[in-house]
Each structure stands twice: as structure tokens, then as C-alpha cells.
Amino acid sequence: MSTGVGSWAVRLWRRTSLMQRLAFIALVPTMLTALLLVIMLTRHQLMSLRSMAQSTADAIATQAASISTDPIRNMQRRDLNRIAESIAALPHVAHVQIRAADGEILADTIGASKAKPKDVLTVVHDVRDADQPELPALGSVLIDVSMSEAIAAQRASLRNALIALALSLFIAGVVGWQAARFISAPLRRLAGAVQQLGRGDRKVEVEVTDQTEIGDLQRGFNSAAAALYDVQRGMEQEIEHATVELARKNAALEAASVAKARFLAAASHDLRQPLYALTLFSSSLAVDERDPIRLDRIAHIQECVEALDHLFSELLDLSRLETGAMQIDIREFPLDHVFEEVSRNFRMIAEQHGLRLVMRATHLWVRSDRTMLARILNNLVSNALRYTQQGGVLVVARHRADGTLRVDVWDTGSGIEPEHQARVFDEFYRVESNGHGEHDTGPRRGLGLGLATVQRLAELLDTRVQLKSVPGRGSVFSFHLPEVPPQHTSHVATDEAALDVTGMRVLVIDDEPAILSGIRYLLRSWGCEVVTAEDRVQALEAAGTWATPPDIVISDLRLRDNESGLDVLAALDEHYGSERREPFPRLLITGETRSDRLREIMAAKIPVLYKPVSPEQLREAMVAVWTSSRTLA
């Protein structure tokens, strides 16, 4: 209890101002002194009044006993009554009673003074024979003396004392308050100056009011404020210089970012153009070739082209993620289809290194972007196989109670040290082999962008890839996907016969002669009838080659003289508009990554492939576009 009261008093004291504290300190001694004086004087007066009343009552009782001796001895009741009445007539006497030795009441008279029982002082005095005091008492006299007037006088005195106390306290309070204001005024001015200094005012100074300790404090504050002002000015100048330098570096950084974006934009088109042509020519070399030595050389060329394509894909895909060029296509699909695709891509690579690749079959469906999800799993599985020497890789999906599923990619590789785990998702960061024999020394050695791309793709899908790894035992990469109920779909198997494009009439539009030459050779090796064009004029001229529209038109997006492949396709639509209502099948192939150009393609709803395109991708896309147009027709 005392602790609570103490804490309450401390909180109350902390809430008061300095002036209130000084006034309180000045008032408390005065109040205590006056209160103590009132109590002492009142008590002394009460004791004096009681002493006087007691003396008066004793004197009356003595006198009454003296004059009642003979009447009591002679039992003269009439005389005793006269004595009692005469004594009762005295001031302050409320009651007189004369008794015999045996207690018999001989006289009993009520006095003129009225008093409450609690305000009566009772005195009893024995009646003795003055000549023979050793004999027993003849009787007794009882006198009740009223204290009402004394008490009234006491109360009046107390009231006057309280009035004097209140007046003295008021005067002391006024004097103490004024004194507190006078004493605390310099400190309050100093506190105001400190607040101004805290708000950052330029120049703050207080007046030195006296030569006491407060004056020393004021002078010390002025000195400190002046020094702080000088420091503030110096810091402002430094901040100004740092701001200018930061702005310069920020401008340089923005310029570097713009230069990077321009470089990547150029790389996405200009650098992929010859790579695309190289892909077409390397694929065409193997057609009708029977010499084992040449076939081996061609295989090496294709392997190098694929490695170059892989490096460009890592770099430019990250660029597309940074610029927002990748568009999300959220759909519901069975996760097992993506697992099967990843298994086809890497099962042979795993077998070549003596590893096992296990894609645990699942009946779960997800809602996500299938292409991005496949890219995430492809990168994770590729990375796992590269750093696994013995054992293998396991990909599994597990249902979770919160309506999502977790996809885990386990490996039994060398693992990742704790100091590297926080940085493996950074751009261009690679964990060195350290003699563990990872499969990363071949032509498809990465740039350290695979996991960075994985994390960016995961963020687009509103998830995040988590890593757990034990050095020497392996790693597991995990991420979550929203689960949806399974749906009934018809699965159409794609075999080699379904990809037959023999006899298909194809119009190819591209401004690079090397690409036109390579794709013409490749398509003709597939049995297609091919016509090429480099711009709109040549495309309209080539349209007259056939009496009916071609089976498919393949066009680059960006042509010479800033001409767009979309404009050429629109011109061909206008050219064939009188002959058919349904648009002819079309396919765009581009190395463009700019988001505005990609939005144009999405708005036109035309299938698109990104350079370099492998022959397998090209043939699958041609068949898909041609089949889709026949279904709509």
C-alpha cells in the first residue's frame, strides 16, 4: 500500500511545474507552523477552561458541604432544600443534590443553567463535622456545573483561529507564488531557449539576470548555444556538399542504368539476330548429313550454340524481369504436367552424370503462370544437378492446411555454406566449386543469374523461394503455390506425326538476310514451301506467289526503317480481306524486351517466340498456330 501511495506521489510531483514546486515548498512550512500553533493554543485554552470549571465546581461543592453540616446532622430537610436552591441559583450550576450518609437524597434541585449531559462537569464533596473530622462523613453534596458557555467560547476561539490560519495561508500562498515566479523566471526563459534551440532556430541567447548560480547557467548556455550554432552551420555546409555529391552520383547511377537498359535492349535484338541465324544454320547442317565426323562437329557446334543461348537467356530474362516486360498469365492447371516437362528436359542429363532425377507424381492442381513455374523448376533442377556429385534430385509437392501447396526441390549435393546462403539469390553471385567436383565446368557454365531469376519469377507469382542447406549433405529449395480443386480435362498426346509440317506454305518476313536464308533452308528440309520477304513491299509482292493465303506467316516484330511486323501483318490482312473472313495463321518471332512493344503484341493476341528459337520450338509453334486456326474456322 505504501509503495502505491509513494509511486502516486512521485507521478504527481513529476507532473507539476517548477513554479508549482517552489510555491509548494514555500507554503508547506507556513501551513504546518500555523496548524501546529492553532492546535497548541486550542488545546491550552481547553485545558484552562476545564481547569477553571473544575476549580469553580470544587469551590461551590466545598461551600455547599460546609453550610450543610448542621442541617444534615439534624436532618433539617427544609434548610437543606433552601441551601440547595440557593446554590442552584448560582451561575453555571445545573444541578444540586444533597445526600445522607446512607445515600438517601435529602435535597435535589435543578439549576437555572441548561446543559446537555455531555457538557456537564460533576463534582461530589463529602460533608464532615469540622470539629470531629475523623468521624465518618455525615453525607455528600453533588454539584453539576454546565460547560456550555465554556465550550461555546472554545468553539468561537477555534473558529477565529481557523480564520486566522486560512488568512495566513492565503497570504503565504500569494507571497510564495510570487516568489516562485520570480525565482523560476530565469529558468523558464532558459527552458524556452532550449526549446528554440531544439527546433533548430538560427541564433538563441538568453539574458544574464544575476551573478548567482543561475547567471552562471545562463552564461554557460549562451556559450554552448553559440558553439552549437557554429557546428550546425558546418554540418549544414557538409550536408549541402554531400547532397550535391549524392545528386551527382545518383545522376551517374541513373545514366549507368539507362545505359544498361539500352545495352540490354540492343542485346535483346541485335545480339540475338546472329545467334538466331546461327541456330538455324547449325540445325540445317545436320539435315541429310551421314558422315560421322561431320555429324560430330555439327553436334559440337550445336552444343556451343545452345550454351551461348543459355547465357543470353539468363542475362536477358533478368533484364525482362527488371523492366517489367514479362507478362503474367495466371491459369489453373495440373502440377504434374509441369513436372513431366521438367523431367523430359533433365532426365537424360541426370543419367549422363550417373544421378537420379525423381519427379514425384501428384494429382494436385495449382493456380499460377505455367511458363514462369516451369522456368523456376527448370532453373532449380538444373542448379541441383550441377552441384550434385552422387545421389540425385527429388522434386515433390505437399498439400498444406492453409489452402496452398509447397514444392520442394531436394538434392544430395555439396550443400551451401552458411555465409553463402544469404547471397545465392543475388545477381552474378556464384558459389565456387572448392574441389567438390560440381558439374559446372562445361559449355553451359552459368553467370550466377539462375537463382536470381528464380527469386524474381517467384515474386511475380506472389511467393518466395526459401533455402535450407547442410554443407556436405545437400540442399532443399521450397516455395508455396495456391492450390485449386482438380478439374476434368482431355489430354491429347503429342507425337512426332502430329508435328509434321510437310507441304505447309510459309511466308517468312525478316530484315536479316542471314536469318531468312537459314530459316528457308530449315523449313524446306521439313518439306515446307517457303517464300521470304524483308519488308512490307516484298511481303505484298510475295503474297502474289500463291492464289490463296499462305498456311502460316512468320514475321519478325522490328523490321528495317522502324517498320513493325504488326503493320505488315495488317497490310496482308487488308490484302487478303476480300478472299476470306477468318485471319490467316500468324506467328511473331522477336528478340525485343521493351515492355511497350510487348504490350502491342499482347493487344494483338498473336503468338510470339523469343529469339533465338530452337527448331523444335519453331515446329511446335507452327503446328499449334495452324491447328488453332483450323479449329476456329
Side-chain angles (χ1 to χ4, degrees):
M1 184 67 181
S2 60
T3 304
V5 173
S7 61
W8 175 84
V10 170
R11 290 197 299 270
L12 181 61
W13 180 260
R14 290 176 177 174
R15 292 178 182 177
T16 57
S17 64
L18 177 62
M19 191 165 60
Q20 292 172 337
R21 294 179 184 180
L22 291 174
F24 177 77
I25 293 173
L27 187 61
V28 166
T30 304
M31 181 177 65
L32 293 177
T33 302
L35 184 61
L36 183 61
L37 288 175
V38 168
I39 293 174
M40 293 176 62
L41 291 175
T42 303
R43 183 178 179 185
H44 177 72
Q45 185 180 18
L46 179 61
M47 293 175 63
S48 298
L49 290 174
R50 286 187 174 275
S51 178
M52 291 176 61
Q54 184 71 39
S55 300
T56 302
D58 288 341
I60 294 173
T62 301
Q63 183 181 4
S66 176
I67 63 178
S68 300
T69 304
D70 292 338
I72 290 177
R73 183 186 300 117
N74 299 321
M75 289 294 176
Q76 297 174 351
R77 296 179 181 269
R78 182 177 298 177
D79 293 339
L80 291 175
N81 285 328
R82 285 198 302 269
I83 294 171
E85 290 174 356
S86 62
I87 294 175
L90 294 175
H92 308 302
V93 176
H95 180 217
V96 178
Q97 189 178 80
I98 302 174
R99 298 178 182 180
D102 57 359
E104 179 184 0
I105 298 176
L106 302 177
D108 191 356
T109 304
I110 303 299
S113 180
K114 305 295 184 181
K116 298 179 181 179
K118 62 179 182 180
D119 296 338
V120 173
L121 177 62
T122 301
V123 178
V124 179
H125 196 282
D126 292 336
V127 180
R128 295 179 180 275
D129 190 350
D131 297 332
Q132 296 178 344
E134 69 279 358
L135 295 178
L138 299 176
S140 62
V141 177
L142 181 144
I143 305 296
D144 288 337
V145 179
S146 175
M147 298 287 293
S148 300
E149 294 182 6
I151 293 175
Q154 176 190 1
R155 291 176 178 174
S157 176
L158 179 60
R159 183 168 56 252
N160 295 333
L162 291 176
I163 294 174
L165 173 62
L167 182 61
S168 63
L169 289 178
F170 175 75
I171 296 174
V174 172
V175 173
W177 185 262
Q178 294 299 328
R181 289 188 59 186
F182 178 76
I183 295 174
S184 63
L187 297 178
R188 286 187 281 112
R189 287 193 292 269
L190 190 60
V194 171
Q195 291 180 355
Q196 293 180 4
L197 191 65
R199 289 193 298 266
D201 292 351
R202 289 291 180 180
K203 192 72 173 179
V204 181
E205 186 176 0
V206 295
E207 180 185 359
V208 180
T209 57
D210 50 46
Q211 300 300 320
T212 63
E213 291 83 355
I214 295 179
D216 295 339
L217 181 62
Q218 292 169 336
R219 285 187 290 273
F221 172 81
N222 291 337
S223 300
L228 185 60
Y229 174 67
D230 294 338
V231 172
Q232 182 180 3
R233 291 183 56 188
M235 290 183 63
E236 288 178 352
Q237 294 177 356
E238 293 180 1
I239 292 175
E240 184 178 356
H241 293 324
T243 302
V244 173
E245 182 66 16
L246 182 61
R248 185 186 65 79
K249 292 183 178 180
N250 188 39
L253 183 61
E254 291 180 355
S257 179
V258 171
K260 173 188 173 183
R262 289 177 179 174
F263 165 75
L264 293 175
S268 64
H269 185 272
D270 298 338
L271 296 181
R272 284 199 172 202
Q273 289 289 87
L275 180 60
Y276 180 36
L278 185 60
T279 301
L280 295 173
F281 280 116
S282 63
S283 300
S284 302
L285 288 176
V287 177
D288 299 329
E289 181 61 57
R290 298 292 184 269
D291 188 351
I293 297 178
R294 292 184 177 178
L295 287 174
D296 183 65
R297 293 174 180 173
I298 293 172
H300 283 297
I301 293 174
Q302 290 178 336
E303 185 179 0
C304 293
V305 172
E306 290 177 2
L308 187 60
D309 177 31
H310 174 71
L311 296 178
F312 270 117
S313 296
E314 280 191 349
L315 182 62
L316 298 177
D317 282 350
L318 188 61
S319 171
R320 292 174 60 200
L321 287 171
E322 290 180 346
T323 58
M326 279 196 174
Q327 304 296 325
I328 302 177
D329 183 16
I330 301 297
R331 296 183 181 181
E332 298 178 356
F333 55 89
L335 185 60
D336 213 25
H337 288 183
V338 181
F339 281 8
E340 292 174 358
E341 177 184 339
V342 175
S343 178
R344 288 194 301 270
N345 293 339
F346 293 98
R347 187 170 301 278
M348 183 175 296
I349 296 177
E351 293 176 352
Q352 290 175 353
H353 293 94
L355 303 174
R356 294 185 60 196
L357 174 59
V358 179
M359 311 290 295
R360 187 72 55 81
T362 177
H363 64 282
L364 299 175
W365 281 57
V366 296
R367 188 174 186 274
S368 186
D369 185 299
R370 177 169 177 169
T371 302
M372 291 187 180
L373 178 58
R375 186 60 185 270
I376 291 174
L377 288 177
N378 281 331
N379 281 7
L380 290 178
V381 172
S382 174
N383 190 74
L385 290 174
R386 180 180 302 148
Y387 288 93
T388 300
Q389 187 68 19
Q390 295 180 348
V393 177
L394 170 65
V395 181
V396 62
R398 293 182 175 88
H399 172 79
R400 291 171 51 87
D402 59 357
T404 64
L405 59 85
R406 190 182 74 186
V407 179
D408 296 330
V409 180
W410 297 79
D411 68 66
T412 59
S414 57
I416 302 175
E417 298 292 337
E419 61 269 19
H420 298 300
Q421 294 181 16
R423 298 191 58 192
V424 292
F425 294 103
D426 294 344
E427 300 173 9
F428 303 104
Y429 187 82
R430 300 183 72 257
V431 180
E432 297 300 328
S433 300
N434 296 328
H436 292 295
E438 290 84 346
H439 309 294
D440 62 344
T441 57
R444 297 198 60 172
R445 181 182 177 94
L447 295 172
L449 291 175
L451 292 180
T453 302
V454 163
Q455 196 66 279
R456 298 289 182 86
L457 290 171
E459 290 173 356
L460 287 179
L461 298 181
D462 197 22
T463 185
R464 191 166 184 82
V465 179
Q466 304 291 334
L467 166 64
K468 293 182 181 179
S469 183
V470 178
R473 299 184 60 182
S475 306
V476 55
F477 291 85
S478 305
F479 58 93
H480 295 172
L481 294 172
E483 183 183 359
V484 296
Q487 303 175 13
H488 296 285
T489 56
S490 57
H491 179 71
V492 180
T494 303
D495 53 16
E496 191 67 25
L499 298 178
D500 187 12
V501 295
T502 302
M504 186 178 292
R505 294 174 302 154
V506 184
L507 171 59
V508 182
I509 307 170
D510 200 299
D511 59 345
E512 289 289 339
I515 292 179
L516 290 179
S517 177
I519 197 170
R520 182 194 304 115
Y521 190 88
L522 180 63
L523 293 178
R524 285 179 179 176
S525 68
W526 292 346
C528 299
E529 185 178 348
V530 184
V531 177
T532 61
E534 296 183 5
D535 52 27
R536 182 201 303 231
V537 176
Q538 293 184 12
L540 293 176
E541 291 178 355
T545 304
W546 298 301
T548 58
D551 294 319
I552 186 172
V553 176
I554 302 175
S555 176
D556 191 7
L557 177 62
R558 190 169 70 180
L559 303 174
R560 65 180 58 175
D561 298 329
N562 293 325
E563 191 175 38
S564 172
L566 296 175
D567 296 335
V568 177
L569 292 176
L572 291 174
D573 277 332
E574 184 178 355
H575 175 77
Y576 290 116
S578 60
E579 301 182 17
R580 59 184 289 154
R581 297 178 60 187
E582 294 296 333
F584 52 83
R586 62 200 67 196
L587 179 65
L588 282 175
I589 300 179
T590 181
E592 189 66 66
T593 59
R594 289 172 51 184
S595 57
D596 54 345
R597 295 291 181 87
L598 297 179
R599 281 195 292 269
E600 292 178 8
I601 300 174
M602 294 188 63
K605 297 182 180 180
I606 300 176
V608 59
L609 295 176
Y610 294 96
K611 297 178 181 179
V613 181
S614 67
E616 293 78 12
Q617 289 178 315
L618 177 61
R619 184 160 63 173
E620 289 178 1
M622 290 172 59
V623 172
V625 170
W626 187 83
T627 304
S628 176
S629 66
R630 291 296 181 270
T631 302
L632 294 176

